[in-house]
Amino acid sequence: MEYGLLVMGAPYTSPAPHSALRFAHTLLAQGHHLSGVFFYHEGVHNASSLMAPPQDELNLHDAWIELHRAHNIPLDVCIAAALRRGLASEAEALRHGKASFNIDAPFELTGLGQLLTLQQRCDRFITFA
């Protein structure tokens, strides 16, 4: 079965990202396919490379990257939600005249069209908010 995930909760303030990550690992272990993860609203904070949680806590940013590397799962971030919250890729930081950036590969800034495409491609689309 094809799954897609929408993550709308911020790391460390909402259980949504951790639940989504555990769900992703479980469905992959059961032989299902994960077509992609879309980060929206406060969920865009999962893409920030500047997170530095204590060493005894799961680093959600790194955990999403590990999931991508192990299974080649796209990690799409809503560009409008990210920019509104002070998150930007190098290209967007340059475009908006900002001195730094905090989103890099494998996270990719995309529009809501990518979210709709992911929803249409999947048998099941699960929201974690």
Side-chain angles (χ1 to χ4, degrees), residues 1-5 23-37 67 70-74 118 121-126:
M1 203 171 248
E2 288 283 323
Y3 282 85
L5 304 181
F23 184 81
H25 283 292
T26 300
L27 72 90
L28 290 166
Q30 292 179 353
H32 298 287
H33 185 259
L34 181 56
S35 293
V37 180
L67 181 74
H71 303 281
N72 199 30
I73 296 165
L118 179 61
R121 187 174 50 227
C122 297
D123 300 310
R124 300 281 187 270
F125 191 78
I126 314 294

Side-chain angles (χ1 to χ4, degrees), residues 2 5 7 15 25-26 31 39-40 45 49 77 83 85 97 101 109-110 117 120 124 128:
E2 288 283 323
L5 304 181
V7 179
H25 283 292
T26 300
F39 298 93
Y40 193 40
H45 290 288
S49 61
V77 180
L83 292 174
R85 290 166 175 83
F101 63 96
L109 291 176
T110 63
T117 300
Q120 292 172 347
R124 300 281 187 270
F128 292 85

Side-chain angles (χ1 to χ4, degrees), residues 47-100:
S48 175
S49 61
L50 296 179
M51 279 192 286
Q55 291 180 352
D56 63 340
E57 289 183 23
L58 175 66
N59 184 319
L60 285 165
H61 175 265
D62 292 351
W64 287 113
I65 291 173
E66 288 173 26
L67 181 74
H68 165 79
R69 288 183 181 152
H71 303 281
N72 199 30
I73 296 165
L75 302 174
D76 294 316
V77 180
C78 176
I79 189 168
L83 292 174
R84 185 177 293 119
R85 290 166 175 83
L87 284 86
S89 64
E90 185 174 19
E92 287 300 314
L94 287 171
R95 189 166 82 88
H96 292 282
K98 302 298 178 184
S100 61

